[in-house]
Amino acid sequence: MYFVIKLSKLCNLRCHYCYEYDELGNKERMSIGELESFFRHVANYFEHQSPSVVPEFVFHGGEPLLLPHDYFRTFCDLQKKYLDSKGIKYRNSLQTNLFQVGDRTLDLLQELDISLGVSFDVFGEQRVDIKGKDSRDNVMDNLQKLIDRRMSFGVINVLHAQNIDYVINTFHFFNNLAIDYRILPISSMVEPSPRMQPLMVNHQQIVQAYQAIALEQFSTQSNIKIYPLRDYFLAAMRYLTEKKVRRFEPAKKEWVAIVNVNGDIYNYGEAYLPQGYMGNIFRQSLSEILNSPEHQQTVIMREKRMETCRRCAFDQKCHQIPIAESQKSDRTYNQKGELECTIAKPMIQFMIQQIEQSPQAQLLLKSYGISPELATEYQF
């Protein structure tokens, strides 16, 4: 289970597509007392779960690296107090824009064993600072710092109308540096604002971009992992080898909990919307939240969406998250009012064709080290 913790919304960038845009100047942050309540409630829940269920805490914002070093030390001290003391294993990661990061900060992340995710588009000029200047050069310099230190990290690359024509260039950029990355198409939980509307791309454009990248990777010496393309590749493997993953059942095991600065918790697809609200982790135990009527309502919504998966030939071949946790702008309905899978399904079909027909795709399969036994791998 991932806890995406909005420690603070304060940010030194003003990315045009950011869903937190209106709060990026807000200096409010979770207090130490609130964090203590959070970890107490989390610990009380996970001490009764299987040891194989490992929570992951994602430091998020805003830009979390604007917070003081002592804040992170206290955060980790609270984890030791409440989680380590009960033998609960966990992982920490931090999502950063990498616009401003010094050696002391990188030393701290390594010392505290906080893994790093970087938000970087390479092309598109939508990730600008407060004065409207493109952040690319700063991020490039800081990426080199990570590489020089041999730090392990991945990248989230937002796909939008201003960079969709550069997806092959983007692939080669990351491939040349041996950096794994996730392509995250621009989306919106509500009707896209005028600021975002020119950046939106439709599902057909996304599929075409994904297929172009996949074909380029198949024809290139490449060992990097590109998500969600690897997810589709694994789903195709399961289909061809008659393997399955378990169904996503949020009533039994959640995927992601978005924790807002005030402690309110939401599911991913309806984050910050009233219908996505599950409770408040500062005031309620996690068990109380996960057994609440509010959580049950989010489960009903997601299970309704996953009826699309149950009708699909690839049910339990893919991990169902793209449908279950789809945001408003990700959803397409047919004339019967049924939710359609307009990205994952055609991409799995494409990957099946590639595996069956392309020697390059089969070589990529070997380079990933994927066997039919491993094709059932599924981690939240």
Side-chain angles (χ1 to χ4, degrees), residues 248 250 270 296-311 320 323-326 331 333 336-340:
F248 173 43
E270 278 81 22
Q296 180 58 26
Q297 286 303 308
T298 73
V299 169
I300 291 170
M301 284 189 304
R302 289 176 283 174
E303 287 181 341
K304 176 66 176 177
R305 290 198 284 263
M306 283 189 288
E307 290 176 5
T308 298
C309 302
R310 307 290 89 90
R311 296 190 296 266
Q320 308 130 73
I323 288 292
E325 296 289 2
S326 59
R331 301 172 199 151
Y333 295 87
K336 296 180 181 179
E338 298 170 331
L339 181 64
E340 296 187 315

Side-chain angles (χ1 to χ4, degrees), residues 38-82:
F38 170 76
F39 283 117
R40 184 173 62 252
H41 290 148
V42 168
N44 289 341
Y45 176 79
F46 279 96
E47 71 174 324
H48 300 295
Q49 304 302 307
S50 166
S52 64
V53 181
V54 178
E56 178 155 341
F57 303 98
V58 184
F59 300 49
H60 219 278
E63 172 48 49
L65 290 184
L66 293 178
L67 292 164
H69 288 187
D70 286 347
Y71 188 88
F72 290 111
R73 291 189 186 280
T74 302
F75 186 102
C76 292
D77 286 343
L78 289 172
Q79 289 181 314
K80 292 175 184 176
K81 177 180 178 180
Y82 289 101

